[in-house]
Amino acid sequence: MRRTARALSGALRLSELVIATLELRPTPLDLIDVLRNWSAAAVEGRPVVGISVASTDGRANEVDGDVRAVSGLMELAVGMVSAAGVASPHLAVSRLPDGRSTVRIAERGPREGAPAVALDVVLRDGGERAAAVARVVARRAGIDLVEGPGGRVVTMTF
């Protein structure tokens, strides 16, 4: 029963995320604040993963977007790279010359900056179902989402 309830809960959450993109409410967001609000205490039966966040430029953290879509998409992307075998995902936030912000989720590279934030988050969804929903949410929210080889890297541009 618990396994079925978790599966149904996950499916409901994913469908609610897609439905939220029907009526996007873009507002100024700080990606670090979004991540802090997303972190949660352990839930029975759900794995917890530690993530680290590094930002090369505080302005890179500032994006316009719907908080439901942005937080849900980042949660799905962390689940995707975790399902691909990345044990401790690292989020690198940077600013592009055109003013957009990029979030790269992958293993921490040797040249990447020190973490600005370290969080423990509950992994809710990973794998192909999460990836399919992430693609839909990103497209509908106007966020570029690129998956790297083997799903071990996800890059989002806001």
Side-chain angles (χ1 to χ4, degrees):
M1 289 292 287
R2 287 184 184 174
R3 188 173 35 217
T4 301
R6 278 195 303 269
L8 290 174
S9 174
L12 178 61
R13 195 186 62 72
L14 291 174
S15 64
E16 287 173 342
L17 179 57
V18 173
I19 290 167
T21 64
L22 295 174
E23 193 176 324
L24 295 171
R25 297 181 209 126
T27 58
L29 300 172
D30 182 296
L31 293 174
I32 302 294
D33 287 343
V34 169
L35 288 168
R36 282 189 179 121
N37 289 333
W38 166 42
S39 64
V43 176
E44 183 181 338
R46 299 278 189 199
V48 175
V49 66
I51 64 171
S52 60
V53 183
S55 178
T56 57
D57 174 356
R59 293 177 308 127
N61 301 335
E62 300 166 3
V63 299
D64 283 332
D66 184 291
V67 70
R68 299 165 300 169
V70 171
S71 63
L73 187 56
M74 287 199 294
E75 181 179 337
L76 290 174
V78 168
M80 289 162 61
V81 299
S82 293
V86 176
S88 296
H90 178 73
L91 284 75
V93 183
S94 59
R95 190 75 131 186
L96 297 174
D98 65 6
R100 295 182 301 156
S101 294
T102 296
V103 176
R104 180 180 180 272
I105 305 170
E107 291 178 289
R108 184 172 176 201
R111 295 185 187 157
E112 292 184 286
V117 177
L119 302 168
D120 287 334
V121 297
V122 175
L123 285 179
R124 299 180 204 278
D125 295 287
E128 191 50 43
R129 180 177 69 172
V133 171
R135 289 181 206 109
V136 170
V137 169
R139 185 175 59 246
R140 293 174 76 116
I143 299 168
D144 295 330
L145 182 128
V146 177
E147 299 168 71
R152 295 180 62 85
V153 178
V154 174
T155 304
M156 296 173 287
T157 305
F158 299 87

